[in-house]
Amino acid sequence: MPDIDFELRGEHVELHALLKLVGAADSGGQGKALVAAGRVEVDGQAETRKAAKIRAGQVVAIDDLRIHVKASA
């Protein structure tokens, strides 16, 4: 399963935007569709809130991709 480290700038990023920023979705709309389809997990739990606030320390998984959200240095 490929892993991506995402450096968070600010307090949080919305889930659909994160998917777009790391290239897992081509657009925010596609990111929203992936979440609505039940294909996204946050910290091992299915997440259906498209605008869920993702914070440093959380892990987002979609298909065979894992995104580790890190605090900016």
Side-chain angles (χ1 to χ4, degrees):
M1 177 178 283
D3 286 2
I4 294 175
D5 287 334
F6 176 81
E7 187 174 315
L8 183 64
R9 295 190 179 121
E11 188 177 320
H12 68 272
V13 62
E14 291 185 354
L15 180 56
H16 67 91
L18 174 65
L19 297 175
K20 177 183 172 188
L21 290 169
V22 301
D26 292 330
S27 67
Q30 185 184 30
K32 288 178 181 181
L34 292 170
V35 175
R39 294 180 50 195
V40 181
E41 292 183 352
V42 176
D43 294 333
Q45 301 294 319
E47 181 57 76
T48 57
R49 296 173 298 150
K50 300 168 191 123
K53 293 178 180 174
I54 305 301
R55 301 179 192 283
Q58 292 190 291
V59 177
V60 176
I62 177 167
D63 299 331
D64 62 347
L65 173 69
R66 291 191 340 174
I67 306 159
H68 299 271
V69 181
K70 312 279 185 185
S72 103

